[in-house]
């Protein structure tokens, strides 16, 4: 029997309809190419910028050398001042950054002992850097100056050896660290010997050399913090442990104080040294213009290249391109600088020898006759004097002697190799996918004069064992609950969400014997799943619930035998569970790879329905029951409360809820990208992905472009400059700790008791939840790489009804946040008052959108009909005013029909406007008019933005539909939304029979048809009596247009709900007496075994329903009162809304009547940029409004650029660290299947291995990485 279970039940029906399972939307080949290009670009930038930074810094040191001709000896203080600026530049930036962090984040004040220790080290570092670069290096040769910077690794290498020795274990980098110390010390010895033995009587040289060695050693104290933590861990010293802990907690304050100290020390050394060597500071103000330009260019390039190199180096590390884009470029930069300086010296020397026609001259003679005997050049190219100045630094040595060259080369190589060995551990450094900067580098920012050394030595040091590659400490594993809310989705929509969940099961199998970084559990909350069927003993599930179970069976079979041929071992779907629950029932499914999927069928007669209450249900079930309850049970058993509290907070922090809609289609990679944001950024309470609307038709095309612009510009700007205000419920990841925070989950259960609550809470529940999170100080982010697809309204009516909900709820939540600006800016470190002002401008622009569209139409009429602007404005006002007036009397359906007709007319008018503007440009003979410049600038922004989103660049084609739909979307839709604000129905999903299931209904007999007709007649009669008694249809149904569908998220129940249920209920020939037998009889391919719910869990649901989720009883009086409140609220808000628009129009109309007396007069310029003698008159109010709009677009564009860069970094890191390939997954599945079903006879597969090739790999990755380890890069 068991063997038969794995054979096809119907051999004649083995053909399959297989839906799209693999990711066919993401262009992986393009992304791999983009990854290669981006890593190459970053590597080139790191190398080139490091080269520029070091070369310009060495040029400044060379110009401060005695005997240089580019700057005279009297002008040397200018070069020394620039060196000082380079040294303090990073301290200034660190000081400003620390102030900003101290103002926006918690900063503790250090105690005296910690402050004293830190300041001592910083004093030594600042003193060493100033002595080395300002005093000593100007007296050394260029080769020594290039390589002595690498000798600052001496103390780091020594501390590495000490750290590894104190670890009391054999360490793989102990020998390289000791070797690095010895090489650097050997270099010091060779350097001292070469310079001192040149002239034993030259005391000054001995002083310079001694200061150089001492300064470089003091400078090596810079990175002492990198090793303090590891030494303190392996030491019993209480002082070291406290010092390590306090320096981390008080980092902002310590950075502020230490930065000021370093600036003061550098200034003191510089200020004391210049008078000491008989130089005058007055020359700084009297330097000639040529020398000023040279110095300004050098210092400018040095400062900019240093800052950019630091940023690109960070990007390289976060992209997991540590070796090829960080270590190699920085090590090679020193060699490249050596070549850059030495090769011109050799070339000039050889050219001079050639020009002497055979006359012999050695290097010393060349120095005496050419280098030192030249005069200062005041004109001509600056390159030859600079080459000769570099040559002058080498004249102290005899480059004709092999001994001098050998000694110079010897200590240069020793120092460079010492740095390479001291940073050898970075080649094997393990990184998280998204690595925080403070975890990657010990100190903030960089050292301007020691750029590559500071970047390499500042990288975190880890002890790595010699026995095996060190296991990277993984992040805590996280638990993700997938929570989808369903109602009456179509078969295709249900198929999308079920396939997506099964994809995730295949992507991250639940192997109980292995630890994984992420575990998943799926939940589907099916609203209104039961119905009354005459003749049955209990309520049965409706056709939508049956369709969902059938889809589950179908998808399960597909994924179970996804790689099986016709004659291979076929696995049959194992038995699943079905349970009766206090809220209805549920089906528990164990997916093919071990993860669970639970479908909760809700009976609205037992538990409160609608989407928000489904969310409340799963929040309390998953977070309250599954997470919190078990810790309180442990507390009752006597476990320590301190440890329980710590574990409880940890589990809350690592429990995530992925909110989904019933039609969302997503890939596993999108979920992992969202998880990354929450894993490594503890204050992120929610993260949303890029939502793509799907469907066909002009309405969907409009939404495709609208969604694209919204995500490209609006959401990215919110993410970069503050927080995302709305994380859509169709695809968003929430942190359990954020949801369980005060005033979030508890307040989310609030029942709407006021009219404004229906607008803010029920019409946009996802935005309200984000508002609660933001008020509690949590950050909400946007990840553009996490793509999800959801069906968009395809019909004009459905689209208008959807936006009728979204518009008022958006304004209500933003107004709520703006009213709490002071509180939020203090509580939430990601939100500032400047950001709230940006949101205020956006809100004002949204409110004034109707009047702006009217003005635009008036302007087009002025050009098109050649009439006065005032007349055009009156003409443009007449249609919307009429539509507004009649909307208060007409039904919603009629309003939508009228709006649809007007939208078509306005669309044609917009086309004419475009043509008229083009004609006006030709007529005026210039593109430089305000309207044309505004349109060109706006179009350019959109085109450039689309180019930066190459995967979505095709959406630009829909921009034309978006433009001609502006009057409909921003004028007519605004009027419809305001007038129908008191309609709190869902409005976007009709109650229609499930596709393909109408045939299941049994045919009605003649008696049943007669009975149904009589029932419908009396139902209509009762409905008519109800309408007459209540006075109007609008009052009864909250303006639901008489035939609107059942509200999906409304608390105010429709008065005709009961009537329609009786009228719409079909008559069945009853074959099942319970819903369990009904679902069990659907198919024997997936058998559902009835089980009982755990008693404790059953009691939990009863308590939850009693407290929060009891069905709301119908109360005519309360409904009537709420109807009146909603109407009053509608009237008030509509009055204010349109009064503001009227005020804006009146101001513009008045200015037009005043003619040109208060207009801005701008000279007219033709296409050749020549003045025409004519003037253009610009309305100042309109100009300020357009200027504000342009400012918003520019801010959004800048935010988009930043977000694009960081999205690219994240995506490249993801592709390097997430080893997901079709071939790999198939091989693992086949191995598991062979182990599980080894009792079966072997059957030859149909070349399954040969069908896969290297192109099947979605991500080039390090395949040896285990799920709970980091990636070696």
């Amino acid at each position: 029997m068991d063997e038969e279970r794995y054979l096809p039940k119907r051999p004649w029906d083995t053909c399959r309809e297989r839906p799209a399972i693999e990711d066919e939307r993401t262009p992986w080949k393009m992304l791999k190419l983009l990854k290669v290009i981006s890593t190459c670009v970053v590597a080139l930038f790191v190398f080139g910028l490091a080269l520029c930074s070091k070369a310009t810094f060495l040029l400044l040191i060379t110009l401060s050398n005695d005997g240089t001709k580019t700057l005279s000896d009297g002008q040397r203080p200018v070069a020394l001042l620039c060196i000082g600026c380079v040294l303090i530049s990073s301290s200034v930036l660190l000081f400003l950054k620390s102030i900003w962090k101290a103002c926006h984040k918690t900063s503790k004040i250090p105690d005296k002992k910690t402050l004293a220790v830190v300041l001592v080290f910083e004093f030594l570092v600042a003193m060493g850097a100033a002595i080395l670069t300002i005093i000593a290096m100007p007296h050394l040769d260029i080769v020594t100056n290039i390589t002595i910077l690498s000798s600052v690794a001496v103390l780091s290498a020594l501390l590495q050896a000490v750290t590894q020795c104190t670890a009391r274990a054999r360490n793989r980098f102990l020998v390289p660290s000791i070797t690095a110390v010895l090489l650097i010390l050997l270099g010091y010895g060779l350097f001292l010997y070469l310079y001192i033995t040149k002239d034993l009587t030259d005391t000054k040289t001995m002083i310079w050399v001694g200061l150089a060695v001492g300064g470089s050693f003091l400078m090596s104290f810079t990175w002492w913090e990198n090793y303090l933590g590891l030494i303190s861990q392996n030491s019993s010293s209480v002082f070291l442990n406290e010092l390590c802990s306090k320096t981390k907690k008080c980092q902002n304050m310590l950075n502020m104080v230490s930065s000021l100290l370093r600036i003061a020390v550098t200034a003191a050394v510089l200020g004391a040294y210049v008078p000491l060597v008989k130089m005058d500071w007055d020359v700084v103000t009297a330097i000639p213009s040529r020398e000023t330009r040279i110095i300004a260019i050098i210092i400018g390039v040095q400062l900019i290249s240093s800052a950019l190199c630091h940023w690109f180096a960070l990007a390289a590390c976060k992209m997991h391109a540590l070796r090829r884009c960080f270590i190699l470029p920085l090590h090679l930069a020193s060699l490249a600088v050596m070549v850059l300086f030495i090769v011109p010296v050799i070339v000039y020397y050889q050219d001079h020898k050639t020009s002497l026609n055979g006359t012999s001259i050695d290097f010393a003679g060349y120095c005496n006759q050419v280098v030192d005997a030249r005069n200062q050049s005041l004109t001509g190219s600056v390159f030859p004097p600079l080459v000769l100045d570099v040559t002058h630094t080498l004249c102290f040595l005899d480059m004709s002697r092999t001994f001098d060259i050998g000694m110079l080369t010897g200590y240069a190589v020793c120092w460079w190799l010492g740095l390479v060995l001291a940073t050898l551990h970075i080649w094997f450094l393990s990184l998280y996918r998204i690595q925080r900067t403070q975890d990657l580098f010990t100190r903030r920012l960089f050292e301007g004069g020691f750029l590559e050394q500071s970047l390499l030595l500042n990288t975190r040091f880890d002890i790595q064992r010699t026995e095996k590659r060190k296991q990277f400490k993984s992040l805590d594993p996280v638990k993700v609950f997938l929570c989808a809310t369903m109602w009456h989705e179509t078969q295709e929509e249900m198929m999308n969400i079920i396939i997506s969940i099964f994809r995730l099961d295949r992507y991250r199998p639940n192997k109980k014997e292995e630890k994984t970084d992420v575990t998943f559990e799926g939940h589907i909350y099916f609203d209104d799943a039961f119905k009354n069927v005459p003749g049955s003993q209990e309520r049965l599930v409706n056709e939508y619930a049956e369709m969902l179970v059938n889809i589950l069976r179908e998808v399960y079979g597909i994924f179970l035998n996804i790689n099986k041929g016709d004659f291979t071992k076929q696995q049959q779907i194992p038995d699943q569970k079905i349970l009766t629950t206090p809220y209805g029932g549920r089906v528990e499914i164990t997916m093919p790879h071990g993860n669970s999927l639970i479908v909760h069928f809700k009976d609205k007669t037992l538990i409160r329905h609608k989407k928000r209450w489904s969310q409340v249900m799963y929040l309390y079930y998953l977070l309250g029951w599954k997470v919190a309850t078990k810790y309180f049970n442990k507390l009752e058993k006597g476990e320590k409360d301190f440890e329980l509290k710590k574990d409880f907070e940890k589990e809350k922090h690592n429990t995530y809820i992925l909110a989904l809609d019933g039609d969302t289609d997503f890939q596993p990679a999108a979920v992992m990208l969202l998880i990354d944001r929450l894993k490594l950024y503890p204050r992120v309470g929610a993260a949303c992905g890029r939502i793509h609307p799907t469907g066909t038709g002009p309405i969907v095309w409009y939404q495709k472009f609208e969604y694209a612009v919204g995500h490209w510009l609006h959401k990215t700007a919110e993410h970069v400059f503050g927080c995302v205000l709305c994380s859509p419920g169709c695809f968003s990841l929430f942190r359990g700790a954020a949801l369980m925070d005060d005033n979030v989950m508890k307040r989310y259960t609030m029942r709407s008791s006021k009219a404004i609550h229906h607008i803010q809470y029920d019409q946009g529940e996802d935005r309200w939840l984000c508002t609660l999170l933001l008020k509690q100080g949590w950050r909400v982010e946007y990840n553009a790489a996490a793509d999800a697809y959801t069906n968009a309204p395809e019909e004009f009516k459905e689209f208008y009804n959807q936006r009728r909900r979204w518009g008022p709820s958006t304004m209500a939540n933003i107004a709520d946040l703006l009213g709490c600006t002071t509180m939020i800016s203090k509580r939430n470190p990601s939100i500032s008052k400047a950001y709230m002002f940006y949101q205020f401008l956006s809100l004002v622009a949204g409110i004034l959108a109707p009047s702006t569209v009217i003005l635009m139409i008036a302007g087009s009429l002025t050009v098109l009909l050649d009439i006065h602007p005032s007349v055009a404005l009156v003409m443009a006002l007449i249609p919307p005013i009429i539509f507004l007036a009649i909307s208060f009397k007409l039904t919603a359906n009629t309003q939508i029909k009228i709006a649809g007709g007007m939208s078509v007319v306005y669309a044609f008018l917009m086309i004419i406007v475009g043509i008229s503007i083009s004609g006006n440009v030709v007529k005026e003979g210039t593109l430089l008019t305000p309207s044309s410049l505004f349109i060109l600038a706006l179009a350019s922004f959109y085109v450039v933005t689309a180019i930066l989103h190459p995967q979505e660049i095709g959406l630009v084609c829909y921009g034309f539909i978006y433009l001609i739909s502006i009057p409909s979307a921003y004028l007519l839709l605004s009027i419809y939304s305001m007038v129908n604000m008191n309609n709190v129905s869902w409005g976007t999903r009709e109650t229609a029979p499930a596709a393909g299931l109408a045939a299941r209904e049994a045919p009605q007999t003649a008696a049943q048809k007669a009975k149904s007709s009589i029932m419908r007649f009396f139902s209509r009669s009762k409905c008519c009596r109800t309408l007459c008694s209540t006075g109007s249809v609008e009052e009864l149904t909250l303006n639901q247009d008489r035939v609107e569908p059942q509200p999906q998220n409304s608390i105010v129940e429709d008065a005709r709900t009961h009537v329609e249920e009786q009228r719409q209920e079909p008559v069945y020939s009853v074959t099942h007496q319970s819903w369990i037998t009904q679902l069990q009889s659907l198919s024997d391919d997936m058998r559902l075994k009835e089980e009982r719910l755990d008693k404790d869990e059953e009691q939990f649901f009863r308590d939850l329903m009693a407290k929060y989720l009891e069905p709301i009883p119908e109360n005519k009086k309360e409904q009537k009162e709420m109807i009146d409140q909603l109407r009053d609220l509608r009237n008030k808000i509509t009055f204010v809304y349109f009064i503001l628009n009227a005020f804006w129009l009146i101001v513009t109309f008045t200015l037009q009547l005043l003619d040109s007396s208060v207009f801005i007069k701008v000279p007219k310029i033709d296409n050749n940029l020549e003045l025409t003698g004519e003037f253009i008159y610009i309305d100042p109010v309109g100009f300020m409004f357009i200027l504000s709009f342009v400012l918003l677009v520019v801010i959004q564009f800048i935010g988009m650029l930043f977000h694009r860069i960081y999205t690219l970094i994240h995506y490249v890191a993801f592709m390097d660290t997430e080893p997901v390939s079709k071939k790999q997954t198939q091989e693992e599945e086949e191995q598991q299947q062979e182990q599980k079903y080894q009792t079966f006879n072997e059957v030859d597969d149909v070349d399954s291995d040969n069908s896969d090739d290297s192109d099947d790999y979605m991500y080039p990755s390090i395949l040896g990485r285990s799920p709970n380890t980091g990636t070696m890069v």
Side-chain angles (χ1 to χ4, degrees), residues 369-385:
Q369 298 177 18
V370 178
V371 178
D372 296 335
R374 62 194 169 98
N375 296 321
Q376 184 178 7
S377 176
L378 301 178
T379 58
S381 175
V382 74
F383 183 73

Side-chain angles (χ1 to χ4, degrees), residues 290-342:
R290 182 174 183 270
E291 285 75 4
T292 301
R293 287 196 301 271
I294 295 173
I295 290 293
I297 292 173
I298 293 175
I299 188 65
V301 171
Q302 207 286 330
L303 295 177
I304 295 173
S305 60
S306 296
L308 289 177
C309 184
H310 173 256
W311 187 88
F312 276 101
L314 286 178
C317 296
K318 293 186 176 185
M319 290 168 63
H320 284 245
L322 202 62
R323 295 177 178 177
R324 57 188 180 274
C325 296
F326 179 73
I327 306 172
L328 271 177
L330 291 178
H331 280 313
L332 294 177
S334 296
L335 301 180
V337 170
M338 183 75 73
V339 173
L340 184 65
F341 277 96
I342 298 304

Side-chain angles (χ1 to χ4, degrees), residues 441-457:
F441 294 104
T442 305
R443 298 174 65 90
R444 293 177 184 169
L445 297 182
F446 55 93
E447 303 293 335
F450 307 81
L451 184 62
E452 64 268 35
Q453 290 81 14
S454 66
L455 291 173
L456 291 168
L457 295 173

Side-chain angles (χ1 to χ4, degrees), residues 472-484:
F472 187 39
K473 182 181 178 182
S474 62
L475 293 171
D476 294 327
V478 300
K479 177 78 172 182
V480 180
F481 293 105
L482 286 73
C483 299

Side-chain angles (χ1 to χ4, degrees), residues 334-363:
S334 296
L335 301 180
V337 170
M338 183 75 73
V339 173
L340 184 65
F341 277 96
I342 298 304
V343 168
V345 171
I346 296 174
V347 170
Y348 272 59
Y349 175 49
Q350 293 298 331
D351 287 346
H352 180 72
K353 289 176 65 175
T354 304
S355 66
L356 296 179
N357 297 324
T359 304
S360 177
I361 184 172
D362 57 7
F363 189 77

Side-chain angles (χ1 to χ4, degrees), residues 956-993:
V956 175
C957 300
Y958 302 128
F960 173 75
I961 296 178
Y962 180 83
L963 290 176
I964 65 175
S965 302
I966 286 177
S968 176
Y970 292 94
L971 176 59
L972 303 179
L973 180 56
S974 298
I975 295 174
Y976 178 78
S977 299
M978 291 297 107
V979 172
N980 294 277
M981 187 183 298
N982 55 328
N983 182 354
V984 293
S985 66
W986 205 244
T988 54
R989 196 178 291 275
E990 299 289 344
T991 308

Side-chain angles (χ1 to χ4, degrees), residues 147 150-158 160 176-187 331 410-424 453 456-457:
T147 54
S150 299
S151 69
V152 298
V154 58
L155 188 61
S156 294
L158 181 61
Q160 288 177 19
S177 298
I178 295 175
T179 306
V181 175
L182 296 177
L183 283 174
I184 294 174
L185 293 178
L186 177 61
H331 280 313
Y411 66 72
V413 171
C414 285
W415 284 335
W416 186 79
L417 286 178
L419 177 64
V420 171
L421 292 175
T423 56
L424 188 64
Q453 290 81 14
L456 291 168
L457 295 173

Side-chain angles (χ1 to χ4, degrees), residues 797 887-895 980 983 985 1023 1027 1031-1046 1054 1056 1060 1063-1064:
K797 173 185 175 181
S887 293
F888 284 95
K889 297 296 181 181
L890 298 177
T891 64
N893 271 344
T894 307
Q895 295 174 42
N980 294 277
N983 182 354
S985 66
C1023 184
L1027 296 183
S1032 71
V1033 177
E1034 180 186 46
E1035 294 177 359
L1036 172 68
T1037 64
L1038 310 182
N1039 201 19
Q1040 292 180 42
D1041 195 23
R1042 288 77 161 172
V1043 292
E1044 284 289 325
Q1046 290 296 305
D1054 194 330
R1056 60 180 169 80
E1060 293 230 343
R1063 177 163 54 88
Q1064 294 181 2

